[in-house]
Amino acid sequence: FRDFVVMLNAVVLGVKALLEIIINEMHSCLNVCMSGSATSCEECLLIHPSCAWCAQEDFGQARTLNSRCDFSQNLQKRGCDAPFIENPRSGSSLLRSKPLSSKGSGVTQYDVIQIYPQKISLSLRPGDQTSFEVQVRPVEDYPVDLYYLMDLSLSMKDDLDTIRNLGTKLAEEMRKLTSNFRLGFGSFVDKNISPFSYTAPKYQDNPCNGYKLFPNCVPTFGFRHLLSLTDKVDRFNEEVQKQMVSRNRDAPEGGFDAILQAAVCKEKIGWRKEAYHLLVFATDDVPHLALDGKLGGLVHPHDGQCHLNDKNEYSAANMMDYPSLALLGEKLAENNIFLIFAVTKRHYVLYKNLTALIPGTTVEILDQDSKNIIQLIVNAYNNIRSKVELSVWDHPEDLSLAFTATCQDGQPLTGLRKCADVKIGDTVSFNITVDARGCPPKGTRKSFTIRPVGFKDRLEVSVDYRCDCSCTYYTKTNSSRCNSAGTYSCGICRCEPGYLGARCECEEGEVDHQHLSACREAEGKQVCSGRGECSCNQCLCYESEFGKIYGTFCECDDFSCARHKGILCSGHGECHCGECKCHAGYIGDNCNCSTETASCVSDDGKICSGRGSCVCGRCQCTEPGAFGDTCEKCPTCPDACGTKRECIECRLFNTGRLADNQTCQRMCKDEIITVETLQTDDSNTVQCVYKTENDCVMKFTYSEHANGQSVLTALKEPECAVAPNAMTVLLAVVGSILLMGIVLLALWKLVITIHDRREFARFQSARSRARYEMASNPVYKQSIPSHPMETVFHMHSIKSCNGGVH
């Protein structure tokens, strides 16, 4: 064992030495530091995060100025002492890190912590990435504020009747989830101007005037706040019972006006800081959007402010346009509000599309009379609490952030900032990598905030840029080291106008022809590569309208690199001496290939559904027959039936691994058609069969339409074999036994009959022969008996002789 360890150490040392040789060779061949245009310590640090600057005065006297910028290990090998090497690194430090809480309500309610850490500081050198970890834990029994915002247009009359006692029932259900629950109520219709409402004088007090089905209703209003958030649910019932419906003219409603007011009027609504904020939006029609107000002459965009008057009514409804989706999403996120769209089935798709544009929003189907509203709210709440998604606020443009989520299964998911199916009390973590793409003006400090969507908790991140060198603190103007003609800083001289040289020892215009060779890259090459002049043994590069020419021999520039669609380095990199140096997150000769994989993640959390690879932010499907943005469609794949089977089970029968409502809705979005009889003659469909838990057979087909939509056609019910009747089986068995007995008896009777007939025939034959013999014997003469008994005796004797009986 000891010999094995010694041998293993020798192998490890050999590998390390080999790697060091390879790295050194790579550095010597691809030295981006020395090939750059750095003439100062600050410029050197910007070339590449691995570049360092030597500020030692007597370093490289015989070399060019650019030689001070090199890899740190190269500088040390060339004689630069470690204390003089400027090579700042990126890093992070914790400023506030209170531990995560496990319970939401109680005496410590206002100290609940759901994100760790709470404040950090980053020191960033451009190009040098640094990472930190964020943990989020949704706590148990966290307070909930729920504001019920209801459409009171005429079509919602039956819904209003249904929810008159909603408060009590809803509170009972919600208190199963939290011990600290408050409820509020508001209503809306639409702007009371034409063409959105009836504005004729006869409709001012009663918009339902002349409407036979419902002749009386209240005047049209935009938004009315009726009950601030309270734990006294009886007051909710009282307010609802007071309400009457109104009437507007067009189909769309002014609900988005109401949502924005409910979000920004925090004091009047009564939103608590330490609570989940749920805003339930119940309607049976589509909403008006921004720019619709122009139809009524409203040209002023919404200002995003609270406009509730003393009567708690929206006072600016007839003065400003409807809010935009962007403004709505911003205000909801700013105030940590989860929006729940409770809409009828015919408008589900529209509101489902809106959820993709408004973060922290979910949609549920509302029955025509709102009978399912309580279960709808409970389901939406559970769905919201099962998701953790990070959002970034005040993101500086010169910073790039990359997320990697580690959810309950412990597997890192690159490019994702969201975890689903999170249980209350579970902790999920996110690794965040930060990279600075440049340096702001000196002394600039920036910051941004990371918040879980809908949480009040946040992580504050302050950013300090490490773009300066410490040696600049010892800068000296008119230094004797520079012949009193320049400023000495970080080991070099910056000469005054009109002076040149490493120590400002030459004046412009002086030409020493015997030293022109110092300005040639190699013998026979042009002086300063033909793009500059040699002065004081140094090349002075020409200016160019295309960019900067630089290098010891003016051999480099920042504009002769590969382009993509006419853009240098695709706009995602910097051009250094004919080669693109890509920013973080991009690769390729022209930096046009993104390494981001978020767009390649399918609904099941896999990269390209496990059927391909993510190349430049797009899936390249390698599995034969797979297609789709994330290779999610593959009718001919071996696992196609197995994957679609789980959706059939959960969507049609609420069984199987995906039976949980949220998981099923998230992963199973294909159209499912149920039929009585399954057609199997279509060559473009895949036939699938599986056995259910009840030993029944379920059949379905899987196909892809020309428009890219997946369609599953399944039987309404599995095919189950019918169990035989016990009496029928018994009678069949008994009958079979009797039949077999009769057949055997018949066969036995037939055999006996055939045998008897053969014996009788044999007997008849023998008898015939006996008669012949008696009739033809010349010796025998029959006696004539004198008495009848003698005749009988005589015949008996003959038979006895013939039969051999004595």
Side-chain angles (χ1 to χ4, degrees), residues 248-395:
N248 60 326
R249 192 170 195 171
D250 60 349
E253 320 289 6
F256 280 9
D257 269 342
I259 291 176
L260 193 138
Q261 292 304 299
V264 299
C265 299
K266 296 180 288 185
E267 291 76 15
K268 292 200 174 186
I269 301 297
W271 297 114
R272 293 176 292 180
K273 183 179 179 181
E274 306 292 334
Y276 275 112
H277 302 159
L278 304 182
L279 178 57
V280 179
F281 178 79
T283 185
D284 64 347
D285 222 316
V286 298
H288 275 298
L289 302 175
L291 301 181
D292 284 358
K294 290 189 175 183
L295 296 174
L298 303 179
V299 296
H300 295 289
H302 205 292
D303 60 4
Q305 302 300 315
C306 177
H307 294 282
L308 291 185
N309 57 22
D310 295 338
K311 296 181 181 180
N312 284 332
E313 294 183 350
Y314 179 38
S315 59
N318 299 340
M319 295 184 287
M320 291 187 296
D321 193 7
Y322 298 96
S324 65
L325 292 176
L327 179 62
L328 205 60
E330 176 187 340
K331 294 303 177 181
L332 289 171
E334 187 178 298
N335 294 285
N336 306 318
I337 295 175
F338 288 108
L339 177 61
I340 302 172
F341 286 127
V343 299
T344 52
K345 187 174 183 179
R346 66 192 183 102
H347 297 304
Y348 176 82
V349 174
L350 168 67
Y351 283 93
K352 183 67 175 177
N353 293 335
L354 293 180
T355 62
L357 304 174
I358 306 176
T361 306
T362 186
V363 59
E364 298 286 344
I365 296 178
L366 181 70
D367 288 348
Q368 289 294 338
D369 55 0
S370 296
K371 285 184 178 180
N372 68 330
I373 186 64
I374 293 178
Q375 189 59 44
L376 181 152
I377 293 173
V378 172
N379 290 343
Y381 174 75
N382 290 330
N383 185 29
I384 288 169
R385 293 223 62 187
S386 68
K387 296 178 182 177
V388 175
E389 181 177 4
L390 297 186
S391 62
V392 181
W393 290 71
D394 303 323
H395 183 183

Side-chain angles (χ1 to χ4, degrees), residues 19 33 117 183 215 233 280 342 480 632 675 681 755 759 775 784 799:
L19 288 175
C33 304
L183 189 60
V233 295
V280 179
S480 59
E632 74 280 6
V675 295
D681 54 354
H755 180 270
E759 289 298 323
I784 301 173
K799 289 181 180 181

Side-chain angles (χ1 to χ4, degrees), residues 122 124 396 398-399 436 438-440 444 446 463-468:
L122 300 179
L124 298 179
D398 59 346
L399 295 184
C439 285
T444 300
K446 296 185 179 182
V463 181
D464 179 26
Y465 294 83
R466 306 198 66 179
C467 297
D468 298 330

Side-chain angles (χ1 to χ4, degrees), residues 8-19:
L8 183 62
N9 288 335
V11 171
V12 171
L13 291 175
V15 171
K16 285 184 177 180
L18 180 61
L19 288 175

Side-chain angles (χ1 to χ4, degrees), residues 368-500:
Q368 289 294 338
D369 55 0
S370 296
K371 285 184 178 180
N372 68 330
I373 186 64
I374 293 178
Q375 189 59 44
L376 181 152
I377 293 173
V378 172
N379 290 343
Y381 174 75
N382 290 330
N383 185 29
I384 288 169
R385 293 223 62 187
S386 68
K387 296 178 182 177
V388 175
E389 181 177 4
L390 297 186
S391 62
V392 181
W393 290 71
D394 303 323
H395 183 183
E397 294 183 357
D398 59 346
L399 295 184
S400 62
L401 275 65
F403 291 81
T404 298
T406 303
C407 303
Q408 305 91 299
D409 57 1
Q411 298 296 322
L413 301 173
T414 304
L416 289 186
R417 60 172 75 182
K418 177 172 67 174
C419 285
D421 302 327
V422 179
K423 296 180 180 178
I424 303 300
D426 284 354
T427 302
V428 294
S429 61
F430 301 87
N431 185 273
I432 303 173
T433 301
V434 186
D435 183 21
R437 292 193 289 266
C439 285
K442 288 187 178 182
T444 300
R445 289 183 65 87
K446 296 185 179 182
S447 63
F448 60 93
T449 303
I450 295 176
R451 292 167 51 180
V453 175
F455 287 59
K456 61 91 181 175
D457 304 74
R458 67 186 64 194
L459 167 61
E460 298 176 4
V461 183
S462 60
V463 181
D464 179 26
Y465 294 83
R466 306 198 66 179
C467 297
D468 298 330
C469 300
S470 59
C471 57
T472 56
Y473 296 122
Y474 307 100
T475 298
K476 187 176 181 181
T477 58
N478 296 322
S479 172
S480 59
R481 295 188 179 106
C482 304
N483 292 298
S484 300
T487 300
Y488 181 79
S489 178
C490 296
I492 62 170
C493 289
R494 291 199 295 270
C495 302
E496 299 292 340
Y499 291 89
L500 300 171

